[in-house]
Amino acid sequence: EVRLVESGRGLVTAGGSLTLSCATYGFRFDDYVIAWFRQAPGKEREGVSCISSRDGSTYYEDSVKGRSTISTGNAGHTVYLQMDNLKSDDTAVYYCAADDGGVYCRAPLDETDFRSWGQGKQITVSS
C-alpha cells in the first residue's frame, strides 16, 4: 500500500518562499507519478504540479508556472515542491498524490488519475 506524508512550514509571508515535502512509501512498481494538488477554502481541489519517476519530466499548472519547482530526492522517494513569490491565493490545503504504475504526467492534472493521497498540509500565506 502506498503511503504519502506531507510536511512543510505552515505559515509563510506573502512574497516569500516555501518548500513542501512528500515522503513516499510502498510503491509496487518502478514507474510512478507524483503530483501536488491544493484546495483553497470554498473552492474545488485543483492540480498544481507533477513529476514522472521514469524520466523526471514535470508539469505545472498555469497558476504556479514560473514560480514553482517540483523535484525529487532520497533516491526518488521524496518529492519536493518549492514555491516562490507566494500570494494570498496560494493559501490552501496542499495534498501529495501518487499514481503507482503511472508513467508520465497528464495535462491538465486530473485527480481521478491518482489513487493514493496524503493527509494534506495547511499552508497559509499572510500579507
Side-chain angles (χ1 to χ4, degrees), residues 23-97:
T24 70
Y25 308 91
F27 286 114
R28 294 176 56 199
F29 300 101
D30 292 337
D31 290 326
Y32 49 88
V33 173
I34 304 290
W36 288 95
F37 288 79
R38 67 184 181 183
Q39 187 166 21
K43 295 186 178 181
E44 293 185 354
R45 189 155 57 187
E46 64 175 6
V48 176
S49 183
C50 179
I51 190 165
S52 161
S53 72
R54 173 171 286 196
D55 62 359
S57 57
T58 60
Y59 170 76
Y60 300 92
E61 296 288 359
D62 288 344
S63 58
V64 301
K65 191 178 296 181
R67 60 187 185 97
S68 296
T69 303
I70 190 169
S71 61
T72 61
N74 190 25
H77 295 296
T78 301
V79 176
Y80 304 99
L81 178 68
Q82 179 180 332
M83 297 180 63
D84 302 316
N85 190 24
L86 288 163
K87 310 170 185 178
S88 58
D89 287 349
D90 295 317
T91 294
V93 177
Y94 284 74
Y95 297 91
C96 180

Side-chain angles (χ1 to χ4, degrees), residues 5 17 66 69 73:
V5 181
S17 297
T69 303

Side-chain angles (χ1 to χ4, degrees), residues 84-125:
D84 302 316
N85 190 24
L86 288 163
K87 310 170 185 178
S88 58
D89 287 349
D90 295 317
T91 294
V93 177
Y94 284 74
Y95 297 91
C96 180
D99 177 12
D100 192 10
V103 178
Y104 298 113
C105 298
R106 294 208 300 169
L109 290 172
D110 184 343
E111 63 178 68
T112 63
D113 288 337
F114 299 89
R115 290 161 289 182
S116 302
W117 291 80
Q119 79 283 1
K121 176 68 180 178
Q122 174 69 49
I123 302 299
T124 301
V125 181

